[in-house]
PDB file of all heavy atoms in Angstrom:
ATOM      1  N   MET A   1      82.610  13.180 109.519  1.00  0.00           N
ATOM      2  CA  MET A   1      83.327  12.196 110.134  1.00  0.00           C
ATOM      3  C   MET A   1      82.535  11.775 111.404  1.00  0.00           C
ATOM      4  O   MET A   1      82.153  12.653 112.212  1.00  0.00           O
ATOM      5  CB  MET A   1      84.713  12.621 110.448  1.00  0.00           C
ATOM      6  CG  MET A   1      85.538  11.530 111.222  1.00  0.00           C
ATOM      7  SD  MET A   1      87.033  12.086 111.945  1.00  0.00           S
ATOM      8  CE  MET A   1      86.464  13.459 112.888  1.00  0.00           C
ATOM      9  N   ALA A  42      85.873   2.155 101.602  1.00  0.00           N
ATOM     10  CA  ALA A  42      87.089   2.472 100.939  1.00  0.00           C
ATOM     11  C   ALA A  42      88.291   1.881 101.640  1.00  0.00           C
ATOM     12  O   ALA A  42      88.440   1.986 102.865  1.00  0.00           O
ATOM     13  CB  ALA A  42      87.247   4.054 100.863  1.00  0.00           C
ATOM     14  N   TYR A  79      92.069   1.976  96.708  1.00  0.00           N
ATOM     15  CA  TYR A  79      92.943   2.965  96.226  1.00  0.00           C
ATOM     16  C   TYR A  79      94.458   2.720  96.628  1.00  0.00           C
ATOM     17  O   TYR A  79      94.656   2.317  97.812  1.00  0.00           O
ATOM     18  CB  TYR A  79      92.477   4.297  96.894  1.00  0.00           C
ATOM     19  CG  TYR A  79      91.039   4.697  96.483  1.00  0.00           C
ATOM     20  CD1 TYR A  79      89.978   4.302  97.245  1.00  0.00           C
ATOM     21  CD2 TYR A  79      90.798   5.280  95.217  1.00  0.00           C
ATOM     22  CE1 TYR A  79      88.698   4.545  96.914  1.00  0.00           C
ATOM     23  CE2 TYR A  79      89.492   5.522  94.872  1.00  0.00           C
ATOM     24  CZ  TYR A  79      88.414   5.205  95.684  1.00  0.00           C
ATOM     25  OH  TYR A  79      87.163   5.493  95.326  1.00  0.00           O
ATOM     26  N   VAL A  84      95.983   7.985  97.063  1.00  0.00           N
ATOM     27  CA  VAL A  84      95.385   8.600  98.243  1.00  0.00           C
ATOM     28  C   VAL A  84      96.229   9.886  98.618  1.00  0.00           C
ATOM     29  O   VAL A  84      95.614  10.989  98.859  1.00  0.00           O
ATOM     30  CB  VAL A  84      95.350   7.645  99.497  1.00  0.00           C
ATOM     31  CG1 VAL A  84      95.014   8.342 100.755  1.00  0.00           C
ATOM     32  CG2 VAL A  84      94.457   6.417  99.127  1.00  0.00           C
ATOM     33  N   SER A  87      95.614  12.616  96.126  1.00  0.00           N
ATOM     34  CA  SER A  87      94.222  13.217  96.260  1.00  0.00           C
ATOM     35  C   SER A  87      94.131  14.102  97.441  1.00  0.00           C
ATOM     36  O   SER A  87      93.565  15.140  97.328  1.00  0.00           O
ATOM     37  CB  SER A  87      93.266  12.052  96.369  1.00  0.00           C
ATOM     38  OG  SER A  87      91.943  12.517  96.607  1.00  0.00           O
ATOM     39  N   VAL A  88      94.817  13.749  98.517  1.00  0.00           N
ATOM     40  CA  VAL A  88      94.636  14.507  99.734  1.00  0.00           C
ATOM     41  C   VAL A  88      95.686  15.577  99.949  1.00  0.00           C
ATOM     42  O   VAL A  88      95.417  16.718 100.342  1.00  0.00           O
ATOM     43  CB  VAL A  88      94.610  13.523 101.020  1.00  0.00           C
ATOM     44  CG1 VAL A  88      94.621  14.289 102.323  1.00  0.00           C
ATOM     45  CG2 VAL A  88      93.414  12.595 100.905  1.00  0.00           C
ATOM     46  N   MET A  99     100.244  14.087 105.777  1.00  0.00           N
ATOM     47  CA  MET A  99      98.905  13.530 105.609  1.00  0.00           C
ATOM     48  C   MET A  99      98.018  13.857 106.818  1.00  0.00           C
ATOM     49  O   MET A  99      96.919  14.271 106.617  1.00  0.00           O
ATOM     50  CB  MET A  99      99.003  11.974 105.388  1.00  0.00           C
ATOM     51  CG  MET A  99      99.596  11.537 104.039  1.00  0.00           C
ATOM     52  SD  MET A  99      98.734  12.254 102.636  1.00  0.00           S
ATOM     53  CE  MET A  99      97.241  11.277 102.678  1.00  0.00           C
ATOM     54  N   MET A 102      97.021  17.529 106.476  1.00  0.00           N
ATOM     55  CA  MET A 102      96.007  17.694 105.371  1.00  0.00           C
ATOM     56  C   MET A 102      94.636  17.142 105.829  1.00  0.00           C
ATOM     57  O   MET A 102      93.613  17.766 105.596  1.00  0.00           O
ATOM     58  CB  MET A 102      96.450  17.091 104.063  1.00  0.00           C
ATOM     59  CG  MET A 102      97.600  17.848 103.445  1.00  0.00           C
ATOM     60  SD  MET A 102      97.139  19.646 103.118  1.00  0.00           S
ATOM     61  CE  MET A 102      95.846  19.527 102.068  1.00  0.00           C
ATOM     62  N   VAL A 103      94.608  16.032 106.435  1.00  0.00           N
ATOM     63  CA  VAL A 103      93.414  15.467 106.909  1.00  0.00           C
ATOM     64  C   VAL A 103      92.766  16.345 107.974  1.00  0.00           C
ATOM     65  O   VAL A 103      91.498  16.632 107.938  1.00  0.00           O
ATOM     66  CB  VAL A 103      93.528  13.995 107.441  1.00  0.00           C
ATOM     67  CG1 VAL A 103      92.310  13.543 108.218  1.00  0.00           C
ATOM     68  CG2 VAL A 103      93.904  13.043 106.308  1.00  0.00           C
ATOM     69  N   ARG A 104      93.543  16.870 108.829  1.00  0.00           N
ATOM     70  CA  ARG A 104      93.057  17.818 109.915  1.00  0.00           C
ATOM     71  C   ARG A 104      92.493  19.055 109.185  1.00  0.00           C
ATOM     72  O   ARG A 104      91.357  19.462 109.557  1.00  0.00           O
ATOM     73  CB  ARG A 104      94.244  18.263 110.745  1.00  0.00           C
ATOM     74  CG  ARG A 104      93.838  19.311 111.680  1.00  0.00           C
ATOM     75  CD  ARG A 104      95.071  19.787 112.493  1.00  0.00           C
ATOM     76  NE  ARG A 104      94.709  21.052 113.185  1.00  0.00           N
ATOM     77  CZ  ARG A 104      95.444  22.057 113.478  1.00  0.00           C
ATOM     78  NH1 ARG A 104      96.713  21.998 113.117  1.00  0.00           N
ATOM     79  NH2 ARG A 104      95.035  23.050 114.171  1.00  0.00           N
ATOM     80  N   ALA A 105      93.168  19.614 108.202  1.00  0.00           N
ATOM     81  CA  ALA A 105      92.629  20.823 107.503  1.00  0.00           C
ATOM     82  C   ALA A 105      91.328  20.481 106.743  1.00  0.00           C
ATOM     83  O   ALA A 105      90.398  21.234 106.862  1.00  0.00           O
ATOM     84  CB  ALA A 105      93.659  21.315 106.580  1.00  0.00           C
ATOM     85  N   LEU A 106      91.322  19.345 105.993  1.00  0.00           N
ATOM     86  CA  LEU A 106      90.150  19.096 105.166  1.00  0.00           C
ATOM     87  C   LEU A 106      88.885  18.752 105.963  1.00  0.00           C
ATOM     88  O   LEU A 106      87.793  18.953 105.522  1.00  0.00           O
ATOM     89  CB  LEU A 106      90.447  17.884 104.231  1.00  0.00           C
ATOM     90  CG  LEU A 106      91.494  18.268 103.071  1.00  0.00           C
ATOM     91  CD1 LEU A 106      91.923  16.939 102.422  1.00  0.00           C
ATOM     92  CD2 LEU A 106      90.832  19.205 102.138  1.00  0.00           C
ATOM     93  N   LEU A 107      89.124  18.156 107.160  1.00  0.00           N
ATOM     94  CA  LEU A 107      87.955  17.840 108.043  1.00  0.00           C
ATOM     95  C   LEU A 107      87.727  18.846 109.063  1.00  0.00           C
ATOM     96  O   LEU A 107      86.878  18.639 109.955  1.00  0.00           O
ATOM     97  CB  LEU A 107      88.213  16.409 108.682  1.00  0.00           C
ATOM     98  CG  LEU A 107      88.263  15.284 107.688  1.00  0.00           C
ATOM     99  CD1 LEU A 107      88.594  13.960 108.358  1.00  0.00           C
ATOM    100  CD2 LEU A 107      86.939  15.107 106.964  1.00  0.00           C
ATOM    101  N   ALA A 119      94.774   8.626 110.640  1.00  0.00           N
ATOM    102  CA  ALA A 119      94.751   9.769 109.649  1.00  0.00           C
ATOM    103  C   ALA A 119      94.814   9.122 108.247  1.00  0.00           C
ATOM    104  O   ALA A 119      94.152   9.602 107.268  1.00  0.00           O
ATOM    105  CB  ALA A 119      95.940  10.663 109.851  1.00  0.00           C
ATOM    106  N   ASP A 120      95.570   8.060 108.038  1.00  0.00           N
ATOM    107  CA  ASP A 120      95.658   7.446 106.707  1.00  0.00           C
ATOM    108  C   ASP A 120      94.250   6.872 106.321  1.00  0.00           C
ATOM    109  O   ASP A 120      93.909   6.994 105.145  1.00  0.00           O
ATOM    110  CB  ASP A 120      96.699   6.323 106.690  1.00  0.00           C
ATOM    111  CG  ASP A 120      98.109   6.881 106.767  1.00  0.00           C
ATOM    112  OD1 ASP A 120      98.351   8.112 106.538  1.00  0.00           O
ATOM    113  OD2 ASP A 120      99.072   6.079 107.073  1.00  0.00           O
ATOM    114  N   ALA A 121      93.618   6.155 107.188  1.00  0.00           N
ATOM    115  CA  ALA A 121      92.319   5.637 106.934  1.00  0.00           C
ATOM    116  C   ALA A 121      91.332   6.839 106.590  1.00  0.00           C
ATOM    117  O   ALA A 121      90.466   6.696 105.587  1.00  0.00           O
ATOM    118  CB  ALA A 121      91.786   4.840 108.092  1.00  0.00           C
ATOM    119  N   LEU A 122      91.418   7.896 107.255  1.00  0.00           N
ATOM    120  CA  LEU A 122      90.532   9.003 106.984  1.00  0.00           C
ATOM    121  C   LEU A 122      90.932   9.619 105.570  1.00  0.00           C
ATOM    122  O   LEU A 122      90.026  10.034 104.804  1.00  0.00           O
ATOM    123  CB  LEU A 122      90.617  10.191 107.989  1.00  0.00           C
ATOM    124  CG  LEU A 122      90.053   9.849 109.371  1.00  0.00           C
ATOM    125  CD1 LEU A 122      90.457  10.971 110.439  1.00  0.00           C
ATOM    126  CD2 LEU A 122      88.524   9.770 109.249  1.00  0.00           C
ATOM    127  N   ALA A 123      92.204   9.596 105.267  1.00  0.00           N
ATOM    128  CA  ALA A 123      92.640  10.081 103.956  1.00  0.00           C
ATOM    129  C   ALA A 123      92.077   9.174 102.855  1.00  0.00           C
ATOM    130  O   ALA A 123      91.693   9.657 101.688  1.00  0.00           O
ATOM    131  CB  ALA A 123      94.136  10.107 103.871  1.00  0.00           C
ATOM    132  N   VAL A 124      92.013   7.872 103.067  1.00  0.00           N
ATOM    133  CA  VAL A 124      91.390   6.982 102.074  1.00  0.00           C
ATOM    134  C   VAL A 124      89.897   7.289 101.900  1.00  0.00           C
ATOM    135  O   VAL A 124      89.403   7.310 100.729  1.00  0.00           O
ATOM    136  CB  VAL A 124      91.582   5.474 102.519  1.00  0.00           C
ATOM    137  CG1 VAL A 124      90.847   4.473 101.550  1.00  0.00           C
ATOM    138  CG2 VAL A 124      93.040   5.092 102.618  1.00  0.00           C
ATOM    139  N   ALA A 125      89.205   7.603 102.917  1.00  0.00           N
ATOM    140  CA  ALA A 125      87.770   7.998 102.840  1.00  0.00           C
ATOM    141  C   ALA A 125      87.724   9.322 101.960  1.00  0.00           C
ATOM    142  O   ALA A 125      86.846   9.474 101.056  1.00  0.00           O
ATOM    143  CB  ALA A 125      87.159   8.122 104.122  1.00  0.00           C
ATOM    144  N   LEU A 126      88.515  10.313 102.303  1.00  0.00           N
ATOM    145  CA  LEU A 126      88.551  11.567 101.526  1.00  0.00           C
ATOM    146  C   LEU A 126      88.847  11.336 100.125  1.00  0.00           C
ATOM    147  O   LEU A 126      88.189  11.948  99.253  1.00  0.00           O
ATOM    148  CB  LEU A 126      89.469  12.561 102.160  1.00  0.00           C
ATOM    149  CG  LEU A 126      89.103  13.027 103.535  1.00  0.00           C
ATOM    150  CD1 LEU A 126      90.278  13.802 104.199  1.00  0.00           C
ATOM    151  CD2 LEU A 126      87.922  14.032 103.367  1.00  0.00           C
ATOM    152  N   CYS A 127      89.767  10.442  99.780  1.00  0.00           N
ATOM    153  CA  CYS A 127      90.108  10.159  98.370  1.00  0.00           C
ATOM    154  C   CYS A 127      88.919   9.532  97.676  1.00  0.00           C
ATOM    155  O   CYS A 127      88.600   9.971  96.537  1.00  0.00           O
ATOM    156  CB  CYS A 127      91.309   9.129  98.356  1.00  0.00           C
ATOM    157  SG  CYS A 127      91.731   8.561  96.783  1.00  0.00           S
ATOM    158  N   HIS A 128      88.201   8.626  98.378  1.00  0.00           N
ATOM    159  CA  HIS A 128      87.009   8.033  97.767  1.00  0.00           C
ATOM    160  C   HIS A 128      85.928   9.066  97.513  1.00  0.00           C
ATOM    161  O   HIS A 128      85.319   9.088  96.390  1.00  0.00           O
ATOM    162  CB  HIS A 128      86.413   6.919  98.640  1.00  0.00           C
ATOM    163  CG  HIS A 128      85.222   6.398  98.045  1.00  0.00           C
ATOM    164  ND1 HIS A 128      85.165   5.722  96.897  1.00  0.00           N
ATOM    165  CD2 HIS A 128      83.903   6.530  98.540  1.00  0.00           C
ATOM    166  CE1 HIS A 128      83.861   5.361  96.619  1.00  0.00           C
ATOM    167  NE2 HIS A 128      83.097   5.871  97.579  1.00  0.00           N
ATOM    168  N   LEU A 129      85.733   9.997  98.454  1.00  0.00           N
ATOM    169  CA  LEU A 129      84.758  11.057  98.208  1.00  0.00           C
ATOM    170  C   LEU A 129      85.085  11.932  97.001  1.00  0.00           C
ATOM    171  O   LEU A 129      84.249  12.198  96.190  1.00  0.00           O
ATOM    172  CB  LEU A 129      84.621  11.940  99.460  1.00  0.00           C
ATOM    173  CG  LEU A 129      83.860  11.349 100.702  1.00  0.00           C
ATOM    174  CD1 LEU A 129      83.975  12.250 101.859  1.00  0.00           C
ATOM    175  CD2 LEU A 129      82.392  11.066 100.294  1.00  0.00           C
ATOM    176  N   GLN A 130      86.325  12.306  96.959  1.00  0.00           N
ATOM    177  CA  GLN A 130      86.736  13.128  95.730  1.00  0.00           C
ATOM    178  C   GLN A 130      86.614  12.331  94.440  1.00  0.00           C
ATOM    179  O   GLN A 130      86.135  12.946  93.398  1.00  0.00           O
ATOM    180  CB  GLN A 130      88.232  13.589  95.965  1.00  0.00           C
ATOM    181  CG  GLN A 130      88.364  14.564  97.056  1.00  0.00           C
ATOM    182  CD  GLN A 130      89.810  14.972  97.258  1.00  0.00           C
ATOM    183  OE1 GLN A 130      90.670  14.613  96.560  1.00  0.00           O
ATOM    184  NE2 GLN A 130      90.045  15.857  98.258  1.00  0.00           N
ATOM    185  N   THR A 131      87.009  11.081  94.485  1.00  0.00           N
ATOM    186  CA  THR A 131      86.953  10.238  93.273  1.00  0.00           C
ATOM    187  C   THR A 131      85.449  10.038  92.898  1.00  0.00           C
ATOM    188  O   THR A 131      85.118  10.207  91.658  1.00  0.00           O
ATOM    189  CB  THR A 131      87.581   8.911  93.542  1.00  0.00           C
ATOM    190  OG1 THR A 131      88.950   9.145  93.847  1.00  0.00           O
ATOM    191  CG2 THR A 131      87.453   7.983  92.283  1.00  0.00           C
ATOM    192  N   GLU A 132      84.592   9.774  93.847  1.00  0.00           N
ATOM    193  CA  GLU A 132      83.170   9.541  93.600  1.00  0.00           C
ATOM    194  C   GLU A 132      82.507  10.860  93.034  1.00  0.00           C
ATOM    195  O   GLU A 132      81.720  10.759  92.118  1.00  0.00           O
ATOM    196  CB  GLU A 132      82.511   9.087  94.816  1.00  0.00           C
ATOM    197  CG  GLU A 132      81.067   8.703  94.621  1.00  0.00           C
ATOM    198  CD  GLU A 132      80.809   7.613  93.629  1.00  0.00           C
ATOM    199  OE1 GLU A 132      81.714   6.925  93.221  1.00  0.00           O
ATOM    200  OE2 GLU A 132      79.620   7.523  93.180  1.00  0.00           O
ATOM    201  N   GLN A 133      82.899  12.005  93.580  1.00  0.00           N
ATOM    202  CA  GLN A 133      82.324  13.265  93.155  1.00  0.00           C
ATOM    203  C   GLN A 133      82.678  13.532  91.652  1.00  0.00           C
ATOM    204  O   GLN A 133      81.865  13.936  90.845  1.00  0.00           O
ATOM    205  CB  GLN A 133      82.779  14.442  93.990  1.00  0.00           C
ATOM    206  CG  GLN A 133      82.057  14.430  95.375  1.00  0.00           C
ATOM    207  CD  GLN A 133      82.701  15.453  96.287  1.00  0.00           C
ATOM    208  OE1 GLN A 133      83.748  16.024  96.060  1.00  0.00           O
ATOM    209  NE2 GLN A 133      82.053  15.728  97.442  1.00  0.00           N
ATOM    210  N   ILE A 175      80.778   6.357 104.507  1.00  0.00           N
ATOM    211  CA  ILE A 175      81.869   5.580 103.999  1.00  0.00           C
ATOM    212  C   ILE A 175      82.678   4.995 105.116  1.00  0.00           C
ATOM    213  O   ILE A 175      83.050   5.757 106.000  1.00  0.00           O
ATOM    214  CB  ILE A 175      82.825   6.343 103.093  1.00  0.00           C
ATOM    215  CG1 ILE A 175      82.022   6.908 101.873  1.00  0.00           C
ATOM    216  CG2 ILE A 175      83.973   5.553 102.659  1.00  0.00           C
ATOM    217  CD1 ILE A 175      82.748   7.976 101.128  1.00  0.00           C
ATOM    218  N   SER A 177      86.131   3.441 106.013  1.00  0.00           N
ATOM    219  CA  SER A 177      87.396   3.389 105.371  1.00  0.00           C
ATOM    220  C   SER A 177      88.385   2.576 106.300  1.00  0.00           C
ATOM    221  O   SER A 177      88.401   2.738 107.463  1.00  0.00           O
ATOM    222  CB  SER A 177      87.929   4.775 105.149  1.00  0.00           C
ATOM    223  OG  SER A 177      89.245   4.728 104.624  1.00  0.00           O
TER     224      SER A 177
END
Side-chain angles (χ1 to χ4, degrees):
M1 178 192 55
Y79 299 94
V84 173
S87 175
V88 173
M99 292 301 290
M102 287 305 299
V103 167
R104 174 186 170 210
L106 290 170
L107 294 176
D120 290 344
L122 289 170
V124 174
L126 289 167
C127 175
H128 176 67
L129 284 173
Q130 290 176 4
T131 302
E132 184 60 15
Q133 287 171 349
I175 298 167
S177 177

